[in-house]
Coordinates of all heavy atoms in Angstrom, one line a residue:
M1 N -9.0 -6.5 15.4 CA -7.6 -7.0 15.4 C -7.3 -7.5 14.0 O -8.1 -8.2 13.4 CB -7.5 -8.1 16.5 CG -6.1 -8.5 16.7 SD -5.2 -7.1 17.4 CE -3.6 -7.7 17.6
Y2 N -6.1 -7.3 13.6 CA -5.7 -7.8 12.3 C -5.1 -9.2 12.4 O -4.3 -9.5 13.2 CB -4.6 -6.9 11.7 CG -5.2 -5.5 11.4 CD1 -4.8 -4.5 12.2 CD2 -6.1 -5.3 10.4 CE1 -5.3 -3.2 12.0 CE2 -6.6 -4.0 10.1 CZ -6.2 -3.0 10.9 OH -6.7 -1.7 10.7
E3 N -5.6 -10.1 11.5 CA -5.1 -11.5 11.5 C -3.9 -11.6 10.6 O -3.8 -10.9 9.6 CB -6.2 -12.4 10.9 CG -7.5 -12.4 11.7 CD -7.3 -13.0 13.1 OE1 -6.5 -14.0 13.3 OE2 -8.0 -12.6 14.1
K4 N -3.0 -12.5 11.0 CA -1.8 -12.7 10.1 C -2.2 -13.4 8.9 O -3.2 -14.2 8.8 CB -0.7 -13.4 10.9 CG -1.1 -14.8 11.3 CD 0.0 -15.5 12.1 CE -0.4 -16.8 12.5 NZ 0.6 -17.5 13.3
S5 N -1.4 -13.2 7.8 CA -1.6 -13.9 6.6 C -0.4 -14.9 6.4 O 0.7 -14.4 6.4 CB -1.6 -12.9 5.4 OG -1.7 -13.5 4.2
V6 N -0.7 -16.1 6.2 CA 0.4 -17.1 6.0 C 0.0 -18.0 4.8 O -1.1 -18.5 4.7 CB 0.5 -18.0 7.3 CG1 1.5 -19.1 7.1 CG2 0.8 -17.2 8.5
V7 N 1.0 -18.2 3.9 CA 0.9 -19.0 2.8 C 2.0 -20.0 2.9 O 3.2 -19.7 3.0 CB 0.9 -18.3 1.5 CG1 0.9 -19.2 0.3 CG2 -0.3 -17.3 1.4
S8 N 1.7 -21.3 2.8 CA 2.7 -22.4 2.8 C 3.6 -22.3 1.6 O 3.1 -22.0 0.5 CB 2.0 -23.7 2.9 OG 3.0 -24.8 2.7
T9 N 4.9 -22.5 1.8 CA 5.8 -22.5 0.7 C 5.6 -23.7 -0.2 O 6.2 -23.8 -1.3 CB 7.3 -22.6 1.2 OG1 7.5 -23.7 2.1 CG2 7.6 -21.3 2.0
S10 N 4.8 -24.7 0.2 CA 4.4 -25.8 -0.7 C 3.2 -25.6 -1.5 O 2.8 -26.4 -2.3 CB 4.3 -27.1 0.1 OG 3.3 -27.0 1.1
S11 N 2.5 -24.5 -1.3 CA 1.2 -24.2 -2.0 C 1.5 -23.8 -3.4 O 2.5 -23.2 -3.8 CB 0.4 -23.1 -1.3 OG 1.0 -21.8 -1.6
P12 N 0.5 -24.1 -4.3 CA 0.6 -23.8 -5.7 C 0.8 -22.2 -5.9 O 1.5 -21.8 -6.8 CB -0.6 -24.3 -6.4 CG -1.1 -25.4 -5.5 CD -0.7 -25.0 -4.1
L13 N 0.1 -21.5 -5.1 CA 0.1 -20.0 -5.1 C 1.6 -19.5 -4.9 O 2.1 -18.7 -5.6 CB -0.8 -19.4 -4.2 CG -0.9 -17.9 -4.1 CD1 -1.4 -17.3 -5.4 CD2 -1.8 -17.4 -3.0
F14 N 2.2 -20.0 -3.8 CA 3.5 -19.6 -3.5 C 4.5 -20.1 -4.6 O 5.4 -19.3 -5.0 CB 4.0 -20.2 -2.1 CG 5.4 -19.9 -1.8 CD1 5.8 -18.8 -1.2 CD2 6.4 -20.8 -2.2 CE1 7.1 -18.4 -0.9 CE2 7.8 -20.5 -2.0 CZ 8.1 -19.3 -1.3
K15 N 4.3 -21.3 -5.0 CA 5.2 -21.9 -6.1 C 5.2 -21.0 -7.3 O 6.2 -20.7 -7.9 CB 4.9 -23.3 -6.4 CG 5.8 -23.9 -7.4 CD 5.6 -25.4 -7.5 CE 6.4 -26.1 -8.6 NZ 7.3 -25.4 -9.4
A16 N 4.0 -20.6 -7.8 CA 3.8 -19.8 -9.0 C 4.5 -18.4 -8.8 O 5.2 -18.0 -9.7 CB 2.4 -19.6 -9.3
M17 N 4.3 -17.8 -7.7 CA 5.0 -16.5 -7.4 C 6.5 -16.6 -7.3 O 7.3 -15.9 -7.9 CB 4.4 -15.8 -6.2 CG 5.0 -14.4 -5.9 SD 4.8 -13.3 -7.3 CE 3.1 -12.8 -7.0
N18 N 6.9 -17.7 -6.6 CA 8.4 -17.9 -6.4 C 9.0 -18.2 -7.8 O 10.1 -17.6 -8.1 CB 8.6 -19.0 -5.4 CG 10.0 -19.1 -4.9 OD1 10.4 -18.2 -4.2 ND2 10.7 -20.2 -5.2
D19 N 8.4 -19.1 -8.6 CA 9.0 -19.4 -9.9 C 9.0 -18.2 -10.8 O 10.0 -18.0 -11.5 CB 8.2 -20.5 -10.5 CG 8.4 -21.9 -9.8 OD1 9.3 -22.0 -8.9 OD2 7.7 -22.8 -10.1
G20 N 7.9 -17.4 -10.8 CA 7.9 -16.2 -11.6 C 9.0 -15.2 -11.2 O 9.6 -14.6 -12.1
T21 N 9.2 -15.1 -9.9 CA 10.2 -14.1 -9.4 C 11.6 -14.6 -9.8 O 12.4 -13.9 -10.3 CB 10.1 -14.0 -7.9 OG1 8.8 -13.6 -7.6 CG2 11.1 -13.0 -7.4
K22 N 11.8 -15.9 -9.7 CA 13.1 -16.5 -10.0 C 13.4 -16.4 -11.5 O 14.5 -16.1 -11.9 CB 13.1 -18.0 -9.6 CG 14.5 -18.6 -9.7 CD 14.6 -20.1 -9.2 CE 13.3 -20.7 -8.7 NZ 13.5 -22.1 -8.2
T23 N 12.4 -16.5 -12.4 CA 12.5 -16.4 -13.8 C 13.0 -15.0 -14.2 O 13.9 -14.8 -15.0 CB 11.2 -16.7 -14.5 OG1 10.9 -18.1 -14.3 CG2 11.3 -16.5 -16.0
V24 N 12.3 -14.0 -13.6 CA 12.7 -12.6 -13.9 C 14.0 -12.1 -13.3 O 14.8 -11.5 -14.0 CB 11.5 -11.6 -13.4 CG1 11.9 -10.2 -13.6 CG2 10.2 -11.9 -14.2
L25 N 14.2 -12.5 -12.0 CA 15.5 -12.0 -11.4 C 16.7 -12.9 -11.7 O 17.8 -12.4 -11.5 CB 15.2 -12.0 -9.8 CG 14.2 -11.1 -9.3 CD1 14.1 -11.1 -7.8 CD2 14.4 -9.6 -9.8
G26 N 16.4 -14.1 -12.1 CA 17.6 -15.0 -12.5 C 18.2 -15.6 -11.2 O 19.3 -16.1 -11.3
E27 N 17.6 -15.5 -10.1 CA 18.1 -16.1 -8.9 C 17.0 -16.4 -7.9 O 15.9 -15.9 -8.1 CB 19.1 -15.1 -8.2 CG 18.5 -13.8 -7.8 CD 19.5 -12.8 -7.3 OE1 20.7 -12.8 -7.8 OE2 19.1 -12.0 -6.5
E28 N 17.3 -17.2 -6.9 CA 16.3 -17.6 -5.9 C 15.8 -16.3 -5.2 O 16.7 -15.6 -4.6 CB 16.8 -18.6 -5.0 CG 15.8 -19.3 -4.1 CD 14.9 -20.2 -4.9 OE1 15.4 -20.9 -5.9 OE2 13.7 -20.3 -4.6
P29 N 14.5 -16.0 -5.1 CA 14.1 -14.8 -4.4 C 14.2 -15.0 -2.9 O 14.2 -16.1 -2.4 CB 12.6 -14.7 -4.8 CG 12.2 -16.0 -5.3 CD 13.4 -16.7 -5.8
V30 N 14.4 -13.9 -2.2 CA 14.4 -13.9 -0.7 C 13.0 -13.9 -0.2 O 12.2 -13.0 -0.6 CB 15.2 -12.6 -0.2 CG1 15.1 -12.6 1.3 CG2 16.6 -12.7 -0.7
V31 N 12.6 -14.9 0.6 CA 11.3 -15.0 1.1 C 11.3 -14.6 2.6 O 12.1 -15.1 3.3 CB 10.7 -16.4 1.0 CG1 9.3 -16.5 1.6 CG2 10.7 -16.8 -0.5
T32 N 10.5 -13.6 2.9 CA 10.5 -13.1 4.3 C 9.0 -12.8 4.7 O 8.1 -13.0 4.0 CB 11.4 -11.9 4.4 OG1 11.5 -11.5 5.7 CG2 10.9 -10.7 3.5
T33 N 8.9 -12.2 5.9 CA 7.6 -11.7 6.3 C 7.5 -10.2 6.3 O 8.6 -9.5 6.4 CB 7.3 -12.2 7.7 OG1 8.3 -11.7 8.6 CG2 7.3 -13.7 7.8
W34 N 6.3 -9.7 6.2 CA 6.1 -8.2 6.2 C 5.8 -7.9 7.7 O 4.9 -8.6 8.3 CB 5.0 -7.8 5.3 CG 5.4 -7.7 3.9 CD1 6.6 -8.1 3.3 CD2 4.7 -7.2 2.8 NE1 6.6 -7.9 2.0 CE2 5.5 -7.3 1.6 CE3 3.4 -6.6 2.7 CZ2 5.0 -6.9 0.4 CZ3 3.0 -6.1 1.5 CH2 3.8 -6.3 0.3
T35 N 6.4 -6.9 8.2 CA 6.1 -6.5 9.6 C 5.1 -5.3 9.6 O 5.0 -4.6 10.6 CB 7.4 -6.1 10.3 OG1 8.0 -5.1 9.6 CG2 8.3 -7.3 10.5
C36 N 4.4 -5.1 8.5 CA 3.5 -4.0 8.3 C 2.1 -4.6 8.0 O 2.0 -5.8 7.8 CB 3.9 -3.1 7.2 SG 4.0 -3.9 5.6
C37 N 1.1 -3.8 8.1 CA -0.3 -4.3 7.8 C -0.6 -4.0 6.3 O -0.3 -2.9 5.8 CB -1.2 -3.6 8.7 SG -2.9 -4.2 8.5
T38 N -1.2 -4.9 5.7 CA -1.7 -4.8 4.3 C -3.1 -5.2 4.3 O -3.7 -5.7 5.2 CB -0.9 -5.6 3.3 OG1 -1.2 -7.0 3.6 CG2 0.6 -5.4 3.5
N39 N -3.8 -5.1 3.1 CA -5.1 -5.7 2.9 C -5.1 -7.2 3.0 O -6.2 -7.8 3.1 CB -5.7 -5.2 1.6 CG -6.0 -3.7 1.6 OD1 -6.1 -3.1 2.7 ND2 -6.1 -3.1 0.5
G40 N -3.9 -7.8 3.0 CA -3.8 -9.3 3.1 C -4.4 -9.8 4.4 O -4.9 -10.9 4.5
S41 N -4.4 -8.9 5.5 CA -5.0 -9.3 6.7 C -6.5 -9.5 6.6 O -7.1 -10.3 7.3 CB -4.7 -8.4 7.9 OG -4.6 -7.1 7.5
E42 N -7.1 -8.8 5.7 CA -8.6 -8.9 5.4 C -8.8 -10.1 4.5 O -9.6 -11.0 4.8 CB -9.1 -7.7 4.8 CG -10.6 -7.8 4.4 CD -11.6 -8.1 5.5 OE1 -11.3 -7.7 6.6 OE2 -12.6 -8.7 5.3
T43 N -8.1 -10.2 3.4 CA -8.4 -11.3 2.4 C -8.0 -12.6 3.0 O -8.7 -13.6 2.8 CB -7.6 -11.0 1.1 OG1 -6.2 -10.9 1.3 CG2 -8.1 -9.8 0.4
S44 N -6.8 -12.7 3.6 CA -6.4 -14.0 4.1 C -6.9 -14.3 5.5 O -7.4 -15.3 5.8 CB -4.8 -14.1 4.1 OG -4.4 -15.3 4.6
G45 N -6.7 -13.3 6.4 CA -7.0 -13.4 7.8 C -8.5 -13.6 8.1 O -8.9 -14.4 8.9
H46 N -9.3 -12.8 7.4 CA -10.8 -12.8 7.6 C -11.6 -13.6 6.6 O -12.6 -14.1 6.9 CB -11.3 -11.4 7.7 CG -10.9 -10.6 8.9 ND1 -10.7 -9.3 9.0 CD2 -10.4 -11.1 10.2 CE1 -10.3 -8.9 10.2 NE2 -10.1 -10.0 10.9
R47 N -11.1 -13.6 5.4 CA -11.9 -14.3 4.3 C -11.3 -15.6 3.8 O -11.9 -16.2 2.9 CB -12.0 -13.3 3.1 CG -12.8 -12.0 3.5 CD -12.9 -11.1 2.4 NE -13.4 -9.8 2.8 CZ -14.6 -9.3 2.6 NH1 -15.5 -10.1 1.9 NH2 -15.0 -8.2 3.0
N48 N -10.2 -16.0 4.4 CA -9.5 -17.2 4.1 C -9.2 -17.4 2.6 O -9.2 -18.5 2.0 CB -10.4 -18.4 4.5 CG -10.5 -18.5 6.0 OD1 -9.6 -18.3 6.8 ND2 -11.7 -18.7 6.5
I49 N -8.8 -16.3 2.0 CA -8.3 -16.3 0.6 C -6.8 -16.2 0.7 O -6.2 -15.3 1.2 CB -8.8 -15.0 -0.2 CG1 -10.4 -15.0 -0.2 CG2 -8.3 -15.0 -1.6 CD1 -11.0 -13.7 -0.7
P50 N -6.1 -17.3 0.1 CA -4.7 -17.3 0.2 C -4.1 -16.0 -0.5 O -4.5 -15.6 -1.5 CB -4.3 -18.5 -0.7 CG -5.5 -19.4 -0.5 CD -6.7 -18.5 -0.5
T51 N -3.2 -15.3 0.2 CA -2.7 -14.0 -0.2 C -1.2 -13.9 0.0 O -0.7 -14.3 1.0 CB -3.4 -12.9 0.7 OG1 -4.8 -13.1 0.6 CG2 -3.0 -11.5 0.3
I52 N -0.6 -13.4 -1.1 CA 0.8 -13.1 -1.0 C 1.1 -11.6 -1.2 O 0.5 -11.0 -2.1 CB 1.6 -13.9 -2.1 CG1 1.5 -15.4 -1.9 CG2 3.0 -13.4 -2.3 CD1 2.1 -16.3 -2.9
G53 N 1.9 -11.0 -0.4 CA 2.3 -9.6 -0.6 C 3.5 -9.6 -1.5 O 4.5 -10.2 -1.1
M54 N 3.4 -8.9 -2.6 CA 4.5 -8.7 -3.5 C 4.4 -7.4 -4.2 O 3.4 -7.1 -4.8 CB 4.5 -9.9 -4.5 CG 5.5 -9.8 -5.6 SD 7.2 -9.9 -5.0 CE 8.0 -10.1 -6.5
G55 N 5.4 -6.6 -4.1 CA 5.4 -5.3 -4.8 C 6.8 -4.7 -5.0 O 7.7 -5.2 -4.4
P56 N 6.8 -3.6 -5.7 CA 8.1 -2.9 -6.0 C 8.6 -2.1 -4.8 O 7.8 -1.7 -3.9 CB 7.8 -2.0 -7.2 CG 6.3 -1.7 -7.0 CD 5.7 -2.9 -6.4
G57 N 9.8 -1.9 -4.7 CA 10.4 -1.0 -3.7 C 10.6 -1.6 -2.4 O 10.4 -2.8 -2.2
S58 N 10.9 -0.8 -1.4 CA 11.1 -1.2 0.0 C 10.0 -0.7 0.8 O 9.6 0.5 0.7 CB 12.4 -0.7 0.4 OG 12.5 -0.8 1.8
I59 N 9.5 -1.5 1.8 CA 8.5 -1.0 2.7 C 9.0 0.1 3.5 O 8.3 1.0 4.0 CB 7.9 -2.2 3.6 CG1 6.7 -1.7 4.3 CG2 9.0 -2.7 4.5 CD1 5.5 -1.3 3.4
L60 N 10.3 0.2 3.7 CA 10.9 1.3 4.5 C 10.8 2.6 3.7 O 10.9 3.7 4.3 CB 12.4 1.0 4.7 CG 12.7 -0.2 5.6 CD1 14.2 -0.5 5.7 CD2 12.1 -0.2 6.9
Q61 N 10.6 2.6 2.4 CA 10.4 3.8 1.6 C 9.0 4.2 1.5 O 8.6 5.3 1.0 CB 11.0 3.5 0.2 CG 11.1 4.7 -0.6 CD 12.0 5.8 0.0 OE1 13.1 5.5 0.6 NE2 11.6 7.0 -0.2
G62 N 8.0 3.3 1.9 CA 6.6 3.6 1.7 C 6.0 4.4 2.8 O 6.4 4.3 4.0
H63 N 5.1 5.2 2.5 CA 4.3 6.0 3.4 C 5.1 7.0 4.2 O 4.9 7.1 5.4 CB 3.4 5.1 4.3 CG 2.6 4.2 3.5 ND1 1.6 4.6 2.7 CD2 2.7 2.8 3.4 CE1 1.1 3.5 2.1 NE2 1.7 2.4 2.6
I64 N 6.1 7.6 3.6 CA 7.0 8.6 4.3 C 7.1 9.8 3.4 O 6.6 9.8 2.2 CB 8.4 8.0 4.5 CG1 9.1 7.7 3.2 CG2 8.4 6.8 5.4 CD1 10.6 7.4 3.4
V65 N 7.6 10.9 3.9 CA 7.8 12.1 3.2 C 8.8 11.7 2.0 O 9.8 11.0 2.2 CB 8.4 13.2 4.1 CG1 8.8 14.4 3.2 CG2 7.4 13.6 5.1
D66 N 8.5 12.2 0.8 CA 9.3 12.0 -0.3 C 9.4 10.5 -0.8 O 10.4 10.0 -1.3 CB 10.8 12.5 -0.2 CG 10.8 14.0 0.0 OD1 10.0 14.7 -0.6 OD2 11.7 14.5 0.7
E67 N 8.3 9.8 -0.5 CA 8.1 8.4 -0.9 C 8.3 8.3 -2.5 O 7.9 9.2 -3.2 CB 6.7 7.9 -0.6 CG 6.4 6.5 -1.1 CD 5.0 6.1 -0.7 OE1 4.2 6.9 -0.2 OE2 4.7 4.9 -0.9
Y68 N 9.0 7.2 -2.9 CA 9.2 7.0 -4.3 C 9.4 5.6 -4.7 O 9.8 4.8 -3.8 CB 10.4 7.9 -4.9 CG 11.7 7.4 -4.4 CD1 12.4 6.5 -5.2 CD2 12.3 7.8 -3.2 CE1 13.7 6.0 -4.8 CE2 13.5 7.3 -2.8 CZ 14.2 6.4 -3.6 OH 15.4 5.9 -3.1
I69 N 9.3 5.2 -5.9 CA 9.6 3.9 -6.5 C 10.3 4.1 -7.8 O 9.9 4.9 -8.6 CB 8.4 3.0 -6.7 CG1 7.6 2.8 -5.4 CG2 8.8 1.7 -7.3 CD1 6.3 2.1 -5.6
E70 N 11.5 3.5 -8.0 CA 12.2 3.6 -9.2 C 11.5 2.9 -10.3 O 10.9 1.9 -10.1 CB 13.6 3.1 -9.0 CG 14.4 3.9 -8.0 CD 15.8 3.3 -7.7 OE1 16.2 2.3 -8.4 OE2 16.5 3.8 -6.8
I71 N 11.5 3.5 -11.5 CA 10.9 2.9 -12.7 C 11.3 1.5 -12.9 O 10.5 0.6 -13.3 CB 11.1 3.8 -14.0 CG1 10.5 5.2 -13.8 CG2 10.5 3.2 -15.2 CD1 9.0 5.3 -13.6
E72 N 12.6 1.2 -12.8 CA 13.1 -0.1 -13.0 C 12.5 -1.1 -12.1 O 12.2 -2.3 -12.5 CB 14.7 -0.1 -12.8 CG 15.3 -1.5 -13.0 CD 15.1 -2.1 -14.4 OE1 14.9 -1.4 -15.4 OE2 15.1 -3.3 -14.5
Q73 N 12.2 -0.7 -10.8 CA 11.5 -1.6 -9.9 C 10.1 -1.9 -10.4 O 9.6 -3.0 -10.2 CB 11.5 -1.0 -8.5 CG 12.8 -0.9 -7.9 CD 12.8 -0.1 -6.6 OE1 11.9 0.7 -6.3 NE2 13.8 -0.3 -5.7
I74 N 9.4 -0.9 -10.9 CA 8.0 -1.1 -11.4 C 8.1 -2.1 -12.6 O 7.3 -3.0 -12.8 CB 7.4 0.2 -11.8 CG1 7.2 1.0 -10.5 CG2 6.1 0.0 -12.5 CD1 6.7 2.5 -10.8
N75 N 9.1 -1.9 -13.5 CA 9.2 -2.7 -14.7 C 9.5 -4.2 -14.3 O 8.8 -5.1 -14.8 CB 10.3 -2.3 -15.6 CG 10.0 -0.9 -16.3 OD1 8.8 -0.6 -16.4 ND2 11.0 -0.2 -16.7
K76 N 10.3 -4.4 -13.3 CA 10.6 -5.8 -12.8 C 9.4 -6.4 -12.2 O 9.1 -7.6 -12.5 CB 11.8 -5.7 -11.8 CG 13.1 -5.8 -12.4 CD 14.2 -5.9 -11.4 CE 15.6 -5.8 -12.0 NZ 16.7 -5.8 -11.1
V77 N 8.7 -5.7 -11.4 CA 7.6 -6.3 -10.7 C 6.5 -6.6 -11.7 O 5.7 -7.6 -11.6 CB 7.1 -5.5 -9.5 CG1 6.2 -4.4 -9.9 CG2 6.4 -6.4 -8.5
T78 N 6.3 -5.8 -12.7 CA 5.3 -6.1 -13.8 C 5.7 -7.4 -14.5 O 4.8 -8.2 -14.7 CB 5.3 -4.9 -14.8 OG1 4.9 -3.7 -14.1 CG2 4.3 -5.2 -15.9
D79 N 7.0 -7.6 -14.8 CA 7.4 -8.8 -15.4 C 7.2 -10.0 -14.5 O 6.8 -11.1 -14.9 CB 8.9 -8.7 -15.8 CG 9.1 -7.8 -16.9 OD1 8.2 -7.4 -17.7 OD2 10.3 -7.3 -17.1
I80 N 7.4 -9.8 -13.2 CA 7.2 -10.9 -12.2 C 5.7 -11.2 -12.2 O 5.3 -12.4 -12.2 CB 7.7 -10.5 -10.8 CG1 9.2 -10.4 -10.8 CG2 7.1 -11.4 -9.8 CD1 9.8 -9.8 -9.6
Y81 N 4.8 -10.2 -12.2 CA 3.4 -10.5 -12.2 C 2.9 -11.3 -13.4 O 2.1 -12.2 -13.3 CB 2.6 -9.2 -12.1 CG 2.7 -8.5 -10.8 CD1 2.5 -7.1 -10.8 CD2 3.0 -9.1 -9.6 CE1 2.6 -6.4 -9.6 CE2 3.1 -8.4 -8.4 CZ 2.9 -7.0 -8.4 OH 2.9 -6.3 -7.3
L82 N 3.5 -10.9 -14.6 CA 3.2 -11.6 -15.8 C 3.6 -13.1 -15.7 O 2.9 -14.0 -16.2 CB 3.8 -10.9 -17.0 CG 3.2 -9.6 -17.4 CD1 4.0 -8.9 -18.5 CD2 1.7 -9.8 -17.8
E83 N 4.9 -13.3 -15.2 CA 5.3 -14.7 -15.1 C 4.5 -15.5 -14.1 O 4.2 -16.7 -14.3 CB 6.8 -14.7 -14.6 CG 7.8 -14.3 -15.7 CD 7.7 -15.3 -16.9 OE1 7.7 -16.5 -16.7 OE2 7.8 -14.8 -18.1
F84 N 4.1 -14.8 -13.0 CA 3.2 -15.5 -12.0 C 1.9 -15.9 -12.7 O 1.5 -17.1 -12.5 CB 2.9 -14.5 -10.9 CG 1.7 -14.9 -10.1 CD1 1.8 -15.9 -9.1 CD2 0.5 -14.2 -10.2 CE1 0.7 -16.3 -8.4 CE2 -0.6 -14.6 -9.5 CZ -0.5 -15.6 -8.5
L85 N 1.3 -15.1 -13.5 CA 0.1 -15.5 -14.2 C 0.2 -16.6 -15.2 O -0.7 -17.4 -15.4 CB -0.5 -14.2 -14.9 CG -1.1 -13.1 -14.0 CD1 -1.4 -11.9 -14.7 CD2 -2.2 -13.6 -13.1
K86 N 1.4 -16.7 -15.7 CA 1.7 -17.9 -16.6 C 1.8 -19.2 -15.9 O 1.5 -20.2 -16.4 CB 3.0 -17.7 -17.4 CG 3.0 -16.5 -18.4 CD 4.4 -16.4 -19.0 CE 4.5 -15.2 -19.9 NZ 5.9 -15.0 -20.4
N87 N 2.2 -19.1 -14.6 CA 2.5 -20.3 -13.8 C 1.3 -20.7 -12.9 O 1.4 -21.8 -12.3 CB 3.7 -20.0 -12.9 CG 5.0 -19.8 -13.6 OD1 5.2 -20.6 -14.6 ND2 5.8 -18.9 -13.2
W88 N 0.3 -19.9 -12.7 CA -0.7 -20.1 -11.7 C -2.1 -20.2 -12.3 O -2.4 -19.6 -13.3 CB -0.7 -19.0 -10.7 CG -1.7 -19.2 -9.6 CD1 -1.6 -20.0 -8.5 CD2 -3.0 -18.5 -9.4 NE1 -2.8 -19.9 -7.8 CE2 -3.6 -19.0 -8.3 CE3 -3.6 -17.5 -10.2 CZ2 -4.8 -18.5 -7.8 CZ3 -4.8 -17.0 -9.7 CH2 -5.4 -17.5 -8.6
S89 N -2.9 -21.1 -11.7 CA -4.3 -21.2 -12.2 C -5.2 -21.1 -10.9 O -4.9 -21.8 -9.9 CB -4.5 -22.6 -12.8 OG -5.8 -22.9 -12.9
P90 N -6.3 -20.4 -11.0 CA -7.2 -20.3 -9.9 C -7.8 -21.7 -9.5 O -8.1 -21.9 -8.4 CB -8.3 -19.4 -10.4 CG -7.7 -18.6 -11.5 CD -6.7 -19.5 -12.1
A91 N -7.7 -22.6 -10.5 CA -8.2 -24.0 -10.1 C -7.3 -24.6 -9.1 O -7.7 -25.6 -8.4 CB -8.1 -24.9 -11.4
D92 N -6.1 -24.1 -8.9 CA -5.2 -24.6 -7.8 C -5.8 -24.4 -6.4 O -5.4 -25.0 -5.5 CB -3.8 -24.0 -7.9 CG -3.0 -24.4 -9.1 OD1 -3.3 -25.6 -9.7 OD2 -2.2 -23.7 -9.6
L93 N -6.7 -23.4 -6.3 CA -7.3 -23.1 -5.0 C -8.4 -24.1 -4.6 O -8.9 -24.1 -3.5 CB -7.8 -21.7 -5.0 CG -6.7 -20.6 -5.1 CD1 -7.3 -19.2 -5.1 CD2 -5.7 -20.7 -4.0
I94 N -8.9 -24.8 -5.6 CA -10.1 -25.7 -5.4 C -9.7 -27.0 -4.8 O -8.7 -27.6 -5.1 CB -10.9 -25.9 -6.7 CG1 -11.4 -24.5 -7.2 CG2 -12.0 -26.9 -6.5 CD1 -12.0 -24.6 -8.5

């Protein structure tokens, strides 16, 4: 069975990702849940490693015939990952 992955909105991990996203997009990001299975169920659910799912494109577009991601979406998420790394420290998990 797959365990759910939950990260508190008050955690340093969430704050770093949220702030990085806000910096790149210029607005408050929409925070929601994924209704699909990712490797996060292993890392968070079984190994207790705080895990956030964040990626380009729409999950509705993934794993279907003619799946694609627009280059602009890849560029944006790359910038978001870079901002996240500026805001987050692994020491926050200790």
Side-chain angles (χ1 to χ4, degrees):
M1 190 69 184
Y2 297 107
E3 299 293 325
K4 64 183 177 179
S5 174
V6 177
V7 174
S8 170
T9 56
S10 63
S11 75
L13 180 66
F14 176 87
K15 184 174 176 354
M17 182 58 80
N18 196 64
D19 290 351
T21 303
K22 190 174 1 180
T23 297
V24 173
L25 299 181
E27 61 188 31
E28 195 68 37
V30 175
V31 178
T32 186
T33 58
W34 282 9
T35 57
C36 58
C37 184
T38 70
N39 291 340
S41 39
E42 176 62 28
T43 57
S44 181
H46 292 153
R47 298 177 191 255
N48 296 315
I49 300 169
T51 304
I52 292 177
M54 172 64 170
S58 166
I59 193 60
L60 299 175
Q61 191 60 40
H63 309 294
I64 63 170
V65 174
D66 296 330
E67 174 180 10
Y68 71 93
I69 299 173
E70 295 175 5
I71 299 297
E72 179 60 26
Q73 293 173 337
I74 294 171
N75 292 339
K76 275 187 185 174
V77 82
T78 299
D79 291 342
I80 290 169
Y81 293 153
L82 289 172
E83 287 298 319
F84 164 75
L85 291 171
K86 291 178 190 176
N87 295 320
W88 181 75
S89 167
D92 291 334
L93 294 177
I94 298 172

